[in-house]
Amino acid sequence: MTPGRRAGPGRARGGAAGAGPSSRSEGTGPKRQANAQTLARAIEDYLEHLKVERRLRPNSLLAYTGDLEAFAGHAEAAGVAALEAVTPALLLRFAVGLSQAGLSPRSQARRLTAVRGLFRFLREEGRLDIDPAQALRLPKLPKRLPELLSRGEVEALLAAPGQDGPLALRDTALLELLYATGCRISEALDLTLDRLYLDQAIVRLTGKGDKQRLVPLGSPAIAALQAWLTSGRPELVRGTVRWVFVNRRGGRLSRQGFFLKLREYALAIGVTRPISPHKLRHSFATHLLEGGADLRAVQALLGHADIGTTEIYTHVTRDHLRERHKRHHPRA
């Protein structure tokens, strides 16, 4: 569903969450609503802002669309169509309805975050005098520690594809890049040849919101990438292709295609628990901190806007740091 071309966010999946017939008193009367901006139009404008100015990725944009459609459905059921008719009481009933509908705290938080973002945008644009979502609180979320691969598992995984043939060279290079830089799989698959500087041992990655960062490459990753670019990729590519990583037909490699290969390699080395490219990102950050890296440096390498996001890894490394303190401190 493309923002700006939808049938209207009022036709929402799960839109009645938290709504009830008694909520119809939220309206402000037909005369005022006729002259007011509609909530549906405001949502469309916000989604367009997220797509064009914030440059959200399609999956994130789809999530925002669904969450805001759910709120629009709740407002429609309460008889609210005008933007100015949205009140804190309506928003509170929406939040309560999410809980009563049995959504997990994480899903509730995601929907409420989308709604808060909508009204913050409208307030900043001058389309509302007061932000009705200002006092809306998110449910407390339990801290979920990232699942990791041990150093031994990482070493085995990086060696699993081997060097026999172009696809093996590609997968080895991609795995080495993921672990060497801690990049997201989307950042790796979006990588183009002009942003790979092997002679300078760095790569320019484009993260969320199109924010770019330079990340250094170690010698194993450089060697794997050089082998792929000189001996593997030319066998698959016909014509001009910008992407560093391509599929067997020379087109852009998909996330799904690599996820399946990663699962195969994990099973081959005896890792039977669920695995994803993001676990290499988690392992990258944790192994850096275990080695004594500065938290701010890890934040910059990962491309986190908020250091609070990076701090989750300090919980993972606490036992390791305690053991190092005991071993090295003279009065431990």
Side-chain angles (χ1 to χ4, degrees):
M1 185 180 309
T2 304
R5 297 188 179 181
R6 306 194 322 282
R11 300 178 183 176
R13 31 186 199 279
S22 62
S23 302
R24 292 189 178 277
S25 59
E26 294 290 342
T28 55
K31 183 175 180 181
R32 182 176 176 184
Q33 289 193 14
N35 296 326
Q37 305 171 75
T38 65
L39 176 61
R41 177 57 187 271
I43 290 176
E44 288 182 356
D45 291 346
Y46 180 53
L47 290 171
E48 190 69 16
H49 163 76
L50 293 177
K51 179 182 178 181
V52 177
E53 297 185 36
R54 294 270 303 278
R55 297 182 180 273
L56 255 62
R57 295 184 181 278
N59 287 345
S60 298
L61 193 63
L62 190 62
Y64 268 89
T65 301
D67 294 337
L68 291 172
E69 283 185 340
F71 172 65
H74 167 73
E76 183 180 56
V80 173
L83 180 60
E84 291 186 352
V86 176
T87 64
L90 177 71
L91 290 162
L92 178 59
R93 279 196 287 275
F94 177 64
V96 171
L98 296 177
S99 177
Q100 292 175 341
L103 269 69
S104 69
R106 197 166 297 276
S107 296
Q108 293 177 49
R110 193 195 69 196
R111 288 201 170 180
L112 296 178
T113 297
V115 171
R116 292 205 310 186
L118 165 68
F119 287 102
R120 185 168 55 247
F121 163 77
L122 295 171
R123 177 69 183 86
E124 290 171 353
E125 291 284 304
R127 293 167 64 172
L128 283 176
D129 294 329
I130 298 173
D131 179 355
Q134 192 170 13
L136 196 60
R137 296 289 178 260
L138 304 182
K140 269 196 170 182
L141 300 178
K143 285 193 173 179
R144 189 170 61 185
L145 297 181
E147 296 182 17
L148 310 172
L149 295 169
S150 69
R151 296 187 183 210
E153 287 172 333
V154 170
E155 292 295 333
L157 185 63
L158 297 181
Q163 304 289 320
D164 187 15
L167 296 180
L169 291 173
R170 178 201 67 192
D171 293 346
T172 297
L174 182 47
L175 287 170
E176 287 281 3
L177 177 71
L178 290 170
Y179 183 61
T181 65
C183 67
R184 304 172 180 90
I185 184 60
S186 57
E187 294 172 346
L189 298 182
D190 284 346
L191 185 62
T192 52
L193 294 170
D194 60 320
R195 289 186 275 127
L196 190 59
Y197 315 110
L198 296 184
D199 56 332
Q200 300 175 52
I202 56 173
V203 60
R204 183 183 296 276
L205 298 170
T206 304
K208 294 181 178 180
D210 270 358
K211 292 182 179 177
Q212 296 194 350
R213 65 189 188 278
L214 291 173
V215 181
L217 293 168
S219 54
I222 292 173
L225 285 163
Q226 285 176 332
W228 157 240
L229 293 175
T230 58
S231 303
R233 191 175 180 277
E235 292 190 29
L236 303 178
V237 173
R238 300 290 179 269
T240 302
V241 178
R242 299 171 55 222
W243 315 113
V244 172
F245 297 105
V246 298
N247 58 30
R248 63 176 66 248
R249 295 178 300 278
R252 186 180 179 186
L253 181 63
S254 69
R255 292 166 59 100
Q256 294 82 358
F258 184 68
F259 267 72
L260 293 174
K261 296 293 293 183
L262 179 62
R263 183 62 182 155
E264 288 178 17
Y265 296 138
L267 291 173
I269 65 169
V271 175
T272 57
R273 62 187 185 277
I275 191 168
S276 70
H278 220 67
K279 285 192 179 178
L280 282 171
R281 178 172 166 86
H282 293 323
S283 303
F284 161 87
T286 304
H287 296 166
L288 276 175
L289 289 171
E290 288 176 351
D294 176 77
L295 188 64
R296 289 283 183 186
V298 176
Q299 177 193 6
L301 291 170
L302 291 173
H304 285 161
D306 183 357
I307 198 168
T309 309
T310 318
E311 284 176 343
I312 188 68
Y313 297 107
T314 62
H315 297 277
V316 182
T317 61
R318 187 174 296 152
D319 290 341
H320 176 81
L321 293 174
R322 187 178 292 118
E323 187 274 331
R324 285 184 58 166
H325 175 269
K326 185 176 181 180
R327 183 190 306 175
H328 298 294
H329 196 279
R331 299 181 69 84

